Amino acid sequence: MSDSETTAAEAPQVAAEAQDAAPTETPGGSSPTETPGGSSPTETPGGSSPTETPGGSSPTETPGGSSPTETPAAPPRAPGPRSRGSAQSGSRHRDARRPRHRRPRLLAHRDARRLLAHRDARRPLAHAPEVSTDVAPTRRARRRPEPKPAAEVKETQEVEEPPPKTPSESTVSQAGWGYWGSWGKSILSTATSTVATVGQGLSHVIEKAETSLGIPSPTELSAQVEEEEKQQASSPEGDASSETDGAVGGAMGMFSSLTSVVQSTGKTMISGGLDALEFIGKKTMDVIAEGDPGFKKTKGLRFHNSTLSQVLREAKEQEELQTAEGEASDSEKKVVAHYGMLFDEFQGLSHLEALEILSRESESKVKSVLTTLSGEERLQLRKELESIRESFSLVEFDDEDVDEQKDEDGSEFEEELTKALDGLSVSTTAGKLSKACKSASSLISEMSRPEEEAEAGEELVKKTASVEEVHAAAIRSLAELTARSIELFHKLAEMILFSSGSTEAGVLSQLTVVLCREISLLSKKFTSCLTTAGSNEKRDVLNPLITGVFLEASNSASYIQDAFQLLRPILEISHIQRTADSAEQ
Amino acid sequence: MGRQKEDTVRQQGETERGHSETEGGHSETTWGDRMRTNIKMTAAPYNYSYIFKYIIIGDMGVGKSCLLHQFTEKKFMADCPHTIGVEFGTRIMEVHGQKVKLQIWDTAGQERFRAVTRSYYRGAAGALMVYDITRRSTYNHLSSWLTDARNLTNPNTVIILIGNKADLEAQRDVTYEEAKQFAEENGLLFLEASAKTGENVEEAFLEAAKRIYQNIQDGSLDLNAAESGVQHKPSAPQGGRLNADSQPAKEGCSC
């Protein structure tokens, strides 16, 4: 476990880099715009964007409440219940134009949810490592809380060494940070530098929490998987399927090896860490409120309804913009994988938009039906709707609920998918999804093929498997799988709306669980590939890439879960129609 | 430049297909091949200035999905499955020197989907209303489709009438003149096209785009309106003319 200490030592280093980076960027006299989302057509996103000005970043914030040991003493729970309340009110408030509000709020919300989950006694401790390794990045990733510093790092690099001359380290790290940065810009486009410091503090906390639990770094984790995979794959048959099995087996091994660690450290540590996160979430809010005059201005609009597709669209636009610029200035940056853009390429955004339309219309139909009813009828319907609602709110998507001993590759996923979708007549879309999944699986097994197998003619292929390429493949696969999942939910919504049969919420939540688990599994396999490909790379090159994959995986999972939630009004109106139909007969 | 763009788009489509075809036995294409395409795709140029939302409507089997496929992939899809709800296609075109991304919503023609597909009309900048020149019934239903289109979109939505299957001259059931007159009476653009040969397919999408662009230029289409169906991209190189639109119009989903 000595490696994990090294990682921990590096974390502040990265943070320090970001801070160092901050002052070098000149605000350039550009006046910070306060119009949220009011980017003028002339705006250039390069480094001159006024919103990026890191004017007075206060580095003292960073270590502030970041030590996990402090955290149990600081458990302000305010953000949690509040955001839960807003979630229950039905509409999910996500305003693309006010990202800085969304971030802490959502963070707090998710944390609160997880906090509850983790305090729940029925959750076996043995699954805890999964929480720490996978969910920690998840939490960090929610709505991209962290990328602000990343964006700064990247920009500074651009300032200091405009065209990276070699495709070596600097490029690599740019690739990794680059796309973080793009998210950073889009999501935090109006946030001021205070956010950066808080963000660092947050990552710091997570890192610390990880180390104090004795949890290895992402690199280490995937290395472990790799090792165990090798052991298993050393058996004679080298065909793809057995390799995939090997990878999964390896992942299994990882969990069991971690179990003991966590059992000894115990639950209090974890919930302590979560308290810390929640605290940070709250603190972020406060700091933003204090440090940003624009906050008050926009506060009134805060609950202005916004949609998931809007958020994604904004993110994607920023990425496109960056790509367009990057192309002109820097051909080396081609490898940068843009999740949002890829997601759109697979029509994920369009399907999401369509799903949102259906969801919104159903929601308003349900409301209007409720207003037309009175007395007993209304009470009865309310009760029925409540039970539908419950089955949507009680779903726990975390991996811990799933039997980890289960082996999975593309085909097993397909099986489960078919089972979950039995009788829902969306086979075409489900087929697309399975294909996407299988293609990702085969990509992984090809990439993780041992050196010797890449014989004549394939040597070239093997050589091109650089970390950036593996990373790009990972991001692309995640984007495709997510887009197809959203498409599936959209198709399901359509089928539910025009068919008179009843669809159980339980089936849909099961489907969501299957999808999220697949995403998580894929991300683990890809990071293990990354570790293999990057065995000669420096840690600070590899780590951001690995974290990036985990980040996108957790984002994927939350998009899928959000899409699942969009189905609730659709089931409600379907239920109402069905009831009305049977009453007529 | 426009040519180049088309190539890119086509290539993307092909790549995606290539992906799905080879995923089973990964012996045909190497990982490296796929990776290179990935990278090329990632670096594809995205510097368009506008996004227009289009819908394609019309009876079942008139060839809506085939028109879209021909437009985005430059290929004829012989046995096209029935569309469920809505499917999507995108392509970047050059309209009066501006790069425009068309986001096309290809709706299902089956009557049973009508209630669901009506939801998707909102916020369309352009509507392609398609009938089959060899089946008069599909032409006779146009008034119903037109009513929906008028009621569910905004007044500035450009509607173009398309008589598909123009290659099947021998089986023609609706004359050009007749349809032309219908289009003129209702203020629609009109073209006869063939998804099979590709004749007038490009033109149909382009004509509508030109009209939309014209509406933007003369100010009759308000980009800031939520339902305009046009999204202006502030990023792209632009003349100063549209600077007033500092707030990019969000597409149909800004409530």
Side-chain angles (χ1 to χ4, degrees), chain A residues 18-75:
Chain A
Q19 276 168 14
D20 290 345
T24 56
E25 203 184 40
T26 47
S30 46
S31 59
T33 336
E34 250 139 48
T35 32
S39 39
S40 76
T42 49
E43 188 188 64
T44 46
S48 63
S49 167
T51 52
E52 295 289 328
T53 51
S57 63
S58 48
T60 44
E61 281 310 329
T62 316
S66 56
S67 161
T69 50
E70 277 175 41
T71 48

Coordinates of all heavy atoms in Angstrom, one line a residue, chain A residues 18-75:
Chain A
A18 N -2.5 23.7 -10.0 CA -3.6 24.5 -10.5 C -3.5 25.9 -9.9 O -3.9 26.9 -10.5 CB -4.9 23.8 -10.0
Q19 N -3.1 26.0 -8.6 CA -3.0 27.3 -8.0 C -1.9 28.1 -8.7 O -2.0 29.3 -8.9 CB -2.7 27.1 -6.5 CG -4.0 26.9 -5.8 CD -3.7 26.4 -4.4 OE1 -2.6 26.5 -3.9 NE2 -4.7 25.9 -3.7
D20 N -0.8 27.4 -8.9 CA 0.3 28.1 -9.6 C -0.2 28.7 -10.9 O 0.1 29.8 -11.3 CB 1.5 27.2 -9.8 CG 2.1 26.8 -8.5 OD1 1.9 27.5 -7.5 OD2 2.9 25.9 -8.5
A21 N -1.0 27.8 -11.5 CA -1.5 28.2 -12.8 C -2.3 29.5 -12.8 O -2.3 30.3 -13.6 CB -2.3 27.1 -13.4
A22 N -3.1 29.6 -11.7 CA -4.0 30.6 -11.7 C -3.5 32.0 -11.9 O -3.9 32.7 -12.8 CB -4.8 30.6 -10.3
P23 N -2.5 32.4 -11.2 CA -2.0 33.8 -11.3 C -1.4 34.1 -12.7 O -1.5 35.2 -13.2 CB -0.9 33.9 -10.3 CG -1.1 32.8 -9.4 CD -1.7 31.7 -10.2
T24 N -0.9 33.1 -13.4 CA -0.3 33.4 -14.7 C -1.3 33.8 -15.7 O -1.0 34.4 -16.7 CB 0.4 32.1 -15.2 OG1 -0.5 31.0 -15.3 CG2 1.6 31.8 -14.3
E25 N -2.5 33.4 -15.5 CA -3.5 33.8 -16.5 C -4.0 35.2 -16.2 O -4.4 35.5 -15.1 CB -4.7 32.8 -16.4 CG -5.5 32.8 -17.6 CD -6.7 31.9 -17.5 OE1 -7.3 32.0 -16.4 OE2 -7.0 31.2 -18.4
T26 N -3.9 36.0 -17.1 CA -4.2 37.4 -16.9 C -5.7 37.7 -17.2 O -6.2 37.2 -18.3 CB -3.4 38.3 -17.8 OG1 -3.4 37.8 -19.2 CG2 -2.0 38.5 -17.4
P27 N -6.3 38.3 -16.3 CA -7.7 38.7 -16.6 C -7.9 39.5 -17.8 O -9.0 39.6 -18.4 CB -8.2 39.4 -15.3 CG -7.1 39.1 -14.3 CD -5.9 38.8 -15.0
G28 N -6.8 40.2 -18.2 CA -6.8 41.0 -19.4 C -7.9 42.1 -19.5 O -8.3 42.5 -20.5
G29 N -8.3 42.5 -18.3 CA -9.2 43.6 -18.3 C -10.6 43.3 -18.8 O -11.4 44.1 -19.0
S30 N -10.8 42.1 -19.2 CA -12.1 41.7 -19.7 C -13.1 41.7 -18.5 O -12.8 41.1 -17.5 CB -12.1 40.3 -20.3 OG -11.4 39.4 -19.5
S31 N -14.1 42.4 -18.7 CA -15.1 42.5 -17.6 C -15.9 41.2 -17.4 O -16.4 40.7 -18.4 CB -16.0 43.7 -17.8 OG -16.7 43.5 -19.0
P32 N -15.9 40.8 -16.2 CA -16.7 39.5 -16.0 C -18.2 39.7 -16.3 O -18.8 40.6 -15.8 CB -16.5 39.3 -14.5 CG -15.4 40.1 -14.1 CD -15.3 41.3 -15.0
T33 N -18.6 38.9 -17.2 CA -20.0 39.0 -17.6 C -20.9 38.4 -16.5 O -20.5 37.4 -16.0 CB -20.3 38.3 -18.9 OG1 -19.1 38.2 -19.6 CG2 -21.4 39.0 -19.7
E34 N -22.0 39.0 -16.3 CA -22.9 38.4 -15.3 C -24.1 37.7 -15.9 O -24.8 37.0 -15.3 CB -23.3 39.4 -14.3 CG -22.6 39.1 -12.9 CD -22.2 40.4 -12.3 OE1 -23.1 41.3 -12.2 OE2 -21.1 40.5 -11.8
T35 N -24.3 38.0 -17.2 CA -25.4 37.4 -17.8 C -25.1 35.9 -18.0 O -24.2 35.5 -18.6 CB -25.6 38.0 -19.2 OG1 -24.3 38.4 -19.7 CG2 -26.5 39.2 -19.2
P36 N -25.9 35.1 -17.3 CA -25.7 33.7 -17.4 C -26.1 33.2 -18.8 O -27.2 33.4 -19.2 CB -26.6 33.1 -16.3 CG -27.5 34.3 -15.9 CD -27.1 35.5 -16.6
G37 N -25.2 32.5 -19.4 CA -25.5 31.9 -20.7 C -25.6 33.0 -21.8 O -26.0 32.7 -22.9
G38 N -25.3 34.2 -21.4 CA -25.4 35.3 -22.4 C -24.2 35.4 -23.2 O -23.7 36.5 -23.4
S39 N -23.6 34.4 -23.7 CA -22.4 34.5 -24.4 C -22.6 35.1 -25.7 O -23.5 34.7 -26.5 CB -21.8 33.1 -24.6 OG -22.9 32.2 -24.9
S40 N -21.9 36.2 -26.0 CA -22.1 36.9 -27.2 C -21.5 36.2 -28.3 O -20.6 35.4 -28.1 CB -21.5 38.3 -27.1 OG -20.1 38.2 -27.2
P41 N -22.0 36.4 -29.5 CA -21.4 35.7 -30.7 C -19.9 35.9 -30.9 O -19.3 35.0 -31.5 CB -22.2 36.2 -31.9 CG -23.4 36.9 -31.3 CD -23.0 37.3 -29.9
T42 N -19.5 36.9 -30.4 CA -18.1 37.2 -30.6 C -17.2 36.6 -29.6 O -16.0 36.6 -29.7 CB -17.8 38.7 -30.6 OG1 -18.5 39.2 -29.4 CG2 -18.4 39.4 -31.8
E43 N -17.7 36.0 -28.6 CA -16.9 35.5 -27.5 C -16.0 34.4 -28.0 O -16.4 33.5 -28.7 CB -17.9 34.9 -26.4 CG -17.1 34.5 -25.2 CD -18.0 33.8 -24.2 OE1 -18.5 32.7 -24.6 OE2 -18.3 34.3 -23.2
T44 N -14.8 34.5 -27.6 CA -13.9 33.5 -27.9 C -13.6 32.7 -26.6 O -13.3 33.3 -25.6 CB -12.5 34.1 -28.4 OG1 -12.2 35.1 -27.6 CG2 -12.7 34.5 -29.8
P45 N -13.6 31.5 -26.7 CA -13.5 30.7 -25.5 C -12.1 30.3 -25.1 O -11.9 29.7 -24.1 CB -14.2 29.4 -25.9 CG -14.0 29.3 -27.3 CD -13.8 30.7 -27.9
G46 N -11.2 30.8 -25.9 CA -9.8 30.4 -25.6 C -9.4 30.5 -24.2 O -9.6 29.6 -23.4
G47 N -8.7 31.5 -23.9 CA -8.3 31.7 -22.5 C -8.9 33.0 -22.0 O -8.7 33.4 -20.9
S48 N -9.4 33.7 -22.9 CA -9.8 35.1 -22.6 C -11.2 35.3 -22.1 O -11.6 36.3 -21.8 CB -9.7 36.0 -23.9 OG -10.6 35.5 -24.9
S49 N -11.9 34.2 -22.0 CA -13.2 34.2 -21.5 C -13.2 34.9 -20.2 O -12.6 34.5 -19.3 CB -13.8 32.8 -21.4 OG -15.0 32.9 -20.7
P50 N -14.0 35.9 -20.1 CA -14.0 36.7 -18.8 C -14.4 35.9 -17.6 O -13.9 36.1 -16.5 CB -15.0 37.8 -19.1 CG -15.8 37.4 -20.3 CD -14.9 36.5 -21.0
T51 N -15.2 34.9 -17.8 CA -15.6 34.1 -16.7 C -14.5 33.2 -16.1 O -14.6 32.7 -15.0 CB -16.8 33.2 -17.1 OG1 -16.4 32.5 -18.3 CG2 -18.0 34.0 -17.4
E52 N -13.5 33.1 -16.9 CA -12.4 32.2 -16.4 C -11.4 32.9 -15.5 O -10.6 32.3 -15.0 CB -11.6 31.6 -17.6 CG -12.5 30.8 -18.5 CD -12.7 29.4 -17.8 OE1 -11.9 29.0 -17.0 OE2 -13.8 28.9 -18.1
T53 N -11.6 34.2 -15.5 CA -10.6 35.0 -14.7 C -10.4 34.5 -13.3 O -11.4 34.5 -12.5 CB -10.9 36.5 -14.7 OG1 -12.3 36.6 -14.3 CG2 -10.8 37.1 -16.1
P54 N -9.3 34.1 -13.0 CA -9.1 33.5 -11.6 C -8.6 34.5 -10.7 O -7.9 34.2 -9.8 CB -8.1 32.4 -11.9 CG -7.3 32.9 -13.0 CD -8.1 34.0 -13.7
G55 N -9.0 35.7 -10.9 CA -8.5 36.9 -10.1 C -7.9 36.6 -8.8 O -6.7 36.3 -8.6
G56 N -8.7 36.6 -7.8 CA -8.1 36.4 -6.5 C -8.5 35.0 -5.9 O -9.3 34.9 -5.0
S57 N -7.8 34.1 -6.4 CA -8.1 32.7 -5.8 C -7.4 32.7 -4.5 O -6.3 33.1 -4.3 CB -7.5 31.7 -6.7 OG -6.1 31.8 -6.8
S58 N -8.1 32.3 -3.5 CA -7.5 32.3 -2.2 C -7.1 30.8 -1.8 O -8.0 30.0 -1.4 CB -8.6 32.8 -1.2 OG -9.8 32.2 -1.4
P59 N -5.9 30.6 -1.9 CA -5.4 29.2 -1.7 C -5.7 28.7 -0.3 O -5.6 27.5 0.0 CB -3.9 29.3 -2.0 CG -3.7 30.7 -2.6 CD -4.8 31.5 -2.2
T60 N -5.9 29.6 0.6 CA -6.1 29.2 2.0 C -7.3 28.4 2.1 O -7.5 27.7 3.1 CB -6.2 30.5 2.9 OG1 -7.0 31.4 2.2 CG2 -4.8 31.1 3.1
E61 N -8.3 28.6 1.2 CA -9.5 27.8 1.3 C -9.2 26.3 1.2 O -9.9 25.5 1.7 CB -10.4 28.2 0.1 CG -11.2 29.4 0.2 CD -12.0 29.6 1.4 OE1 -12.4 28.7 2.0 OE2 -12.2 30.8 1.8
T62 N -8.2 26.0 0.4 CA -8.1 24.7 -0.1 C -8.0 23.7 1.1 O -8.8 22.8 1.1 CB -6.8 24.5 -1.0 OG1 -6.8 25.6 -1.8 CG2 -6.8 23.2 -1.7
P63 N -7.1 23.8 1.9 CA -7.0 22.7 2.9 C -8.0 22.9 4.0 O -8.1 22.0 4.9 CB -5.6 23.0 3.5 CG -5.1 24.2 2.9 CD -6.1 24.9 2.2
G64 N -8.7 24.0 3.9 CA -9.7 24.3 4.9 C -10.3 23.2 5.7 O -9.8 22.7 6.7
G65 N -11.5 22.7 5.2 CA -12.1 21.6 5.9 C -11.9 20.3 5.3 O -12.7 19.5 5.2
S66 N -10.7 20.2 4.8 CA -10.5 19.1 3.9 C -10.0 17.8 4.6 O -10.1 16.7 4.0 CB -9.5 19.4 2.8 OG -8.3 19.8 3.4
S67 N -9.6 17.9 5.8 CA -9.1 16.7 6.4 C -10.3 15.9 6.9 O -11.2 16.5 7.6 CB -8.2 17.1 7.6 OG -8.2 16.0 8.5
P68 N -10.3 14.7 6.6 CA -11.5 13.9 7.0 C -11.6 13.7 8.5 O -12.7 13.5 9.0 CB -11.2 12.5 6.4 CG -9.9 12.6 5.6 CD -9.4 14.0 5.8
T69 N -10.5 13.9 9.2 CA -10.5 13.8 10.6 C -11.3 14.9 11.3 O -11.9 14.7 12.3 CB -9.1 13.8 11.2 OG1 -8.4 14.9 10.7 CG2 -8.4 12.5 10.8
E70 N -11.4 16.0 10.6 CA -12.1 17.1 11.2 C -13.6 17.0 11.0 O -14.4 17.6 11.7 CB -11.7 18.4 10.4 CG -10.4 19.1 10.9 CD -10.1 20.2 10.0 OE1 -11.0 21.0 9.7 OE2 -8.9 20.4 9.7
T71 N -13.9 16.3 9.9 CA -15.2 16.4 9.4 C -16.4 16.0 10.3 O -17.4 16.6 10.2 CB -15.3 15.6 8.1 OG1 -14.7 14.3 8.3 CG2 -14.5 16.4 7.0
P72 N -16.2 14.9 11.0 CA -17.4 14.6 11.8 C -17.8 15.7 12.7 O -19.0 15.8 13.1 CB -16.9 13.4 12.7 CG -15.7 12.8 11.9 CD -15.1 14.0 11.2
A73 N -16.9 16.6 13.0 CA -17.3 17.7 13.8 C -18.0 18.8 13.1 O -18.5 19.8 13.6 CB -16.0 18.4 14.4
A74 N -18.1 18.6 11.8 CA -18.8 19.6 11.0 C -19.9 19.0 10.1 O -19.7 18.9 9.0 CB -17.8 20.3 10.1
P75 N -21.0 18.7 10.7 CA -22.0 18.0 9.9 C -23.2 18.9 9.6 O -24.3 18.5 9.9 CB -22.4 16.9 10.8 CG -22.1 17.4 12.2 CD -21.3 18.7 12.1

